[in-house]
Each structure stands twice: as C-alpha cells, then as structure tokens.
Amino acid sequence: MIMLSNIVDIIRILLVCAAFFFGYQIGFAGEEYDPAKQLNFMIPLVIAAVAGISGLEGLLFGDKAAEAKGYEKGSKYQKQSAIALLSYTFMAFVVSAAHWGTLAELTVFGAFIFFFIFSGLLHALSAIRDRNLAWQNVNRPFITLMLIAGMVYPVVMFFTTQN
C-alpha cells in the first residue's frame, strides 16, 4: 500500500508541475505579462493538488500515508489535519468560482503556504532528529521550497503592478 501513497505523491507533484507550466503560459500569453491571470489559474489548482489530494489521502488512507512518510499510524490529529487541508481546497474553489479576486485568492494561498512551510520544517526536523529518511518525509522541505520559489515571481509582480 506504500506504493499507492507513492503514486498519489507523484500525481500531486505532476499536477503542481502542470499548474506551473500552464500558469506561466497564461501569464505571459498577452503582449504584457499578467500576473493576476496567472495566479487566478495557479492558486486553486496548486492548492487542490497539494492540500486537496493530501487531505483526501489522510482521510481515506491515513495509516498508509503515515507509514509512507515514516510517521506513527493512528494519530488523533491525522483526520483533523486532513480536514484542515480540505478546507483550504474548498475555500480556494469558492473564492475562484465567486470571482472574489486575486487578493482573496492570495489570502487563501497565504494560509495554505503558512501551513506547508511549517509542515516542511517538521518533516526536515523528523529527517534530522529522528533519522526518518522515508522518501515522502525527506522530499517535503525541498518541494515546499520549490513551490515557494515558483510562486514568488507572480506574487511580487502582482503587487508591483497594482495601483
């Protein structure tokens, strides 16, 4: 069943890569770069790929997901964490579908990335302190850093082009 968790992890990574590829194409499609269009596309998709899939994985395959990450099974906080992840996804889609704007999307993204920054730090500590070298544990800090790096340009450009 660890293989299923690895497949889910690969799907999550591929969806984020697709969000970045198409998001950057959308942003640079016109005569002038449009960071708002890029972010409007990328934010809900990135959140759904990362938080949505992780939330479903935690609810449906919680013990297997914990095992793949080298964590203890049956944690009382596992379902609570999964529901929190799904709440980011739900709100990202509500904000996007209701056309509340890029600032609202960035607010949801800010809460989401705050969670994942600290999650990445916890995974790094687990790798160092506990010698938890499970692939899905070790890759989290690096994947989180790559996600942040890829989002910096459109976010900075969005705020610099606002009047």
Side-chain angles (χ1 to χ4, degrees):
M1 206 48 143
I2 289 178
M3 188 167 136
L4 174 64
S5 189
N6 288 337
I7 291 169
V8 168
D9 203 37
I10 290 167
I11 291 169
R12 191 175 16 241
I13 292 167
L14 290 174
L15 284 173
V16 171
C17 289
F20 274 80
F21 178 79
F22 292 111
Y24 273 86
Q25 279 193 330
I26 290 167
F28 285 99
E31 289 186 28
E32 287 189 28
Y33 173 63
D34 190 341
K37 281 186 181 177
Q38 179 179 352
L39 291 168
N40 296 155
F41 174 80
M42 288 178 66
I43 288 173
L45 187 53
V46 166
I47 291 175
V50 178
I53 291 174
S54 296
L56 289 174
E57 180 185 33
L59 285 179
L60 301 175
F61 315 108
D63 287 346
K64 301 302 178 194
E67 183 180 349
K69 290 167 184 60
Y71 285 164
E72 70 278 356
K73 297 183 208 173
S75 168
K76 293 179 182 181
Y77 294 103
Q78 198 168 11
K79 285 191 181 4
Q80 183 177 354
S81 180
I83 291 167
L85 292 171
L86 289 172
S87 72
Y88 296 130
T89 306
F90 177 77
M91 289 311 302
F93 283 123
V94 166
V95 167
S96 181
H99 303 287
W100 288 351
T102 309
L103 288 174
E105 289 176 344
L106 284 167
T107 302
V108 176
F109 183 78
F112 155 83
I113 204 66
F114 183 87
F115 177 91
F116 276 94
I117 287 169
F118 285 97
S119 175
L121 288 172
L122 289 174
H123 281 280
L125 283 173
S126 175
I128 295 165
R129 184 186 56 214
D130 304 330
R131 302 213 190 294
N132 178 358
L133 302 178
W135 166 249
Q136 287 191 22
N137 186 61
V138 173
N139 76 11
R140 287 300 181 260
F142 299 107
I143 288 175
T144 302
L145 287 173
M146 288 189 301
L147 177 62
I148 292 167
M151 293 299 287
V152 166
Y153 183 75
V155 170
V156 168
M157 290 305 294
F158 174 77
F159 285 111
T160 58
T161 59
Q162 293 299 296
N163 294 330

